Amino acid sequence: MAMNDSVNILNSAYLAVEYIDSFLPDNPLQQPFKNAWNYMLDNYTKFQIATWGSLIVHEVSYFLLCVPGFIFQFIPYMQKYKIQQDKPETWEKQWKCFKTLLFNHFFIQLPLICGTYYFTEYFNIPYGWEEMPRWYVLVAQCFGCAVIEDAWHYFLHRLLHHKRIYKYIHKVHHEFVSPFGMQAEYAHPLETLILGTGFFIGIVVFCNHVVLLWAWVICRLMETIDVHSGYDVPLNPLHLVPFYAGARFHDFHHMNFIGNYASTFTWWDRLFGTDSQFIAYQEKEKKKQCVTKK
C-alpha cells in the first residue's frame, strides 16, 4: 500500500512538472544541441563516444570549474570570502596537486572510463536523441545519484579516518589543511577507487541514457570543487539545494581532520552527531563577530 502511494505521488509530481514545462518557452539552445548530438552520433562510434567523450567531459569540466577559485587568489577583494585567510595557496602546492591529478586522471580514472562503453552495452543504455530524457527527469536523476553517492561517501569516508588505516590512504588527501578547488580529486589511488565507487552506484540505479553519465559527472564535479574551493562566496546557486553542505562545512573537516564526513548533504552528519564540533565552532565564531561589532 505504501509503495503504491509513493508511486502515485511520484507520477503526480512528474505530470505536474511536465504540465508546467509545456508552458515554458522553447529553449533556443535545444536545436543547436540536437544538431551537435546527431553529428556526434553520425561521425563517431559508440565506443569513441562513451570513452573519449566521457574523458573530455570530465577533464574540461574539472579544470574549467577550477578556474574561478584559481583566479580568486589574485583578487584582493575576494580574500574576505576565503575561509582560512591565514593559509594562502602556494605555487608549490598547486603544482604538486596538478601533477598528482594528471596521474590519477589518466592512470586510474581513464582505465575505468574505458569500461563505459561495455557498461552501456550490457545494460542496453541508449545514445539516441529521441531517447534522451527531458531536463527535469535529468535533474531528478542527478539529485538521486547525489543522495546515493553522499550516503556511500559518508560511511566509507568515515571508515578511511579510522586510526588504523588513515595514514596509509586518506592522509594523502589531507595533505592540504586549507583546501583549494583543484585539490578535490587529489587523493591516494586506492581512495579514488573506494570513494569513486559511490559515483557509479547511482548510474547503475538511474541511468536510462548516456547523457546522464555526463550530466552526473558535471554535477558531481561542480559540488566537490565548490566544497574544496576554500571560499564561501555569497549568492552561490548551489546553496539553493536543500541540505547542501557547502565549502565552510567541508573546510572545517580539512582544518580538524574529523567530523563532517558527508560529501554533499548535511543529514548523515546530523543524524550521527559527527557535525557537533562544527556546530560548536560556528557558535564560537558568531560570538566573536558579535563582540567585534560591539
Side-chain angles (χ1 to χ4, degrees):
M1 185 67 179
M3 180 64 74
N4 289 334
D5 290 342
S6 298
V7 172
N8 289 334
I9 291 171
L10 290 173
N11 286 336
S12 298
Y14 178 84
L15 291 173
V17 174
E18 195 173 45
Y19 179 74
I20 294 171
D21 182 59
S22 66
F23 289 97
L24 296 177
D26 292 336
N27 183 353
L29 298 177
Q30 183 174 353
Q31 191 58 44
F33 180 62
K34 179 181 179 180
N35 294 338
W37 190 271
N38 286 329
Y39 177 86
M40 177 184 70
L41 293 177
D42 292 338
N43 291 275
Y44 299 96
T45 66
K46 283 186 176 182
F47 179 82
Q48 290 173 321
I49 293 169
T51 304
W52 302 116
S54 298
L55 178 66
I56 291 169
V57 168
H58 180 272
E59 294 305 303
V60 171
S61 299
Y62 192 91
F63 289 106
L64 277 181
L65 290 168
C66 288
V67 167
F70 179 78
I71 294 175
F72 288 166
Q73 65 184 309
F74 304 111
I75 304 176
Y77 175 80
M78 296 303 298
Q79 297 315 300
K80 64 180 180 179
Y81 300 121
K82 184 168 173 58
I83 301 167
Q84 298 186 56
Q85 297 185 8
D86 60 330
K87 296 182 179 69
E89 299 91 341
T90 66
W91 284 108
E92 182 183 2
K93 289 181 179 179
Q94 291 177 90
W95 176 240
K96 183 179 181 181
C97 178
F98 180 71
K99 289 187 294 184
T100 302
L101 279 178
L102 290 181
F103 176 83
N104 285 349
H105 285 185
F106 290 96
F107 291 96
I108 306 297
Q109 295 182 12
L110 180 56
L112 296 175
I113 289 172
C114 287
T116 304
Y117 166 74
Y118 302 100
F119 169 81
T120 59
E121 287 296 290
Y122 182 81
F123 288 100
N124 198 29
I125 294 171
Y127 288 62
W129 175 263
E130 298 303 323
E131 297 89 353
M132 190 177 293
R134 299 298 298 273
W135 66 268
Y136 45 85
V137 175
L138 208 56
V139 169
Q141 289 173 326
C142 286
F143 184 78
C145 288
V147 170
I148 292 172
E149 190 280 334
D150 185 68
W152 176 272
H153 191 101
Y154 176 84
F155 292 105
L156 272 295
H157 183 197
R158 189 172 178 179
L159 178 64
L160 288 175
H161 272 270
H162 192 280
K163 60 182 180 180
R164 290 187 178 180
I165 59 176
Y166 171 78
K167 64 180 180 180
Y168 299 110
I169 302 175
H170 193 52
K171 186 178 180 180
V172 174
H173 183 68
H174 276 282
E175 185 176 330
F176 305 117
V177 177
S178 178
F180 47 91
M182 191 168 55
Q183 190 227 338
E185 290 186 345
Y186 180 88
H188 190 284
L190 275 178
E191 179 174 340
T192 300
L193 294 173
I194 293 168
L195 296 184
T197 300
F199 173 88
F200 295 101
I201 298 174
I203 294 297
V204 173
V205 174
F206 294 109
C207 196
N208 58 353
H209 196 280
V210 72
V211 75
L212 176 63
L213 289 165
W214 297 349
W216 172 222
V217 165
I218 295 170
C219 289
R220 178 69 180 113
L221 290 179
M222 193 182 301
E223 176 275 325
T224 191
I225 291 170
D226 176 59
V227 301
H228 285 92
S229 67
Y231 290 84
D232 187 18
V233 180
L235 303 179
N236 185 338
L238 287 175
H239 288 288
L240 297 174
V241 178
F243 302 100
Y244 181 68
R248 195 168 291 276
F249 187 86
H250 192 71
D251 205 279
F252 181 83
H253 175 78
H254 276 266
M255 276 193 287
N256 296 276
F257 307 100
I258 192 170
N260 295 8
Y261 296 111
S263 60
T264 306
F265 305 107
T266 57
W267 50 57
W268 287 112
D269 285 287
R270 289 183 181 179
L271 180 63
F272 290 101
T274 46
D275 65 344
S276 57
Q277 291 189 28
F278 175 64
I279 293 172
Y281 171 78
Q282 283 186 310
E283 291 299 322
K284 188 178 179 180
E285 288 298 305
K286 285 180 182 178
K287 289 180 181 178
K288 282 184 179 179
Q289 290 177 2
C290 289
V291 171
T292 303
K293 288 180 181 179
K294 288 181 182 179

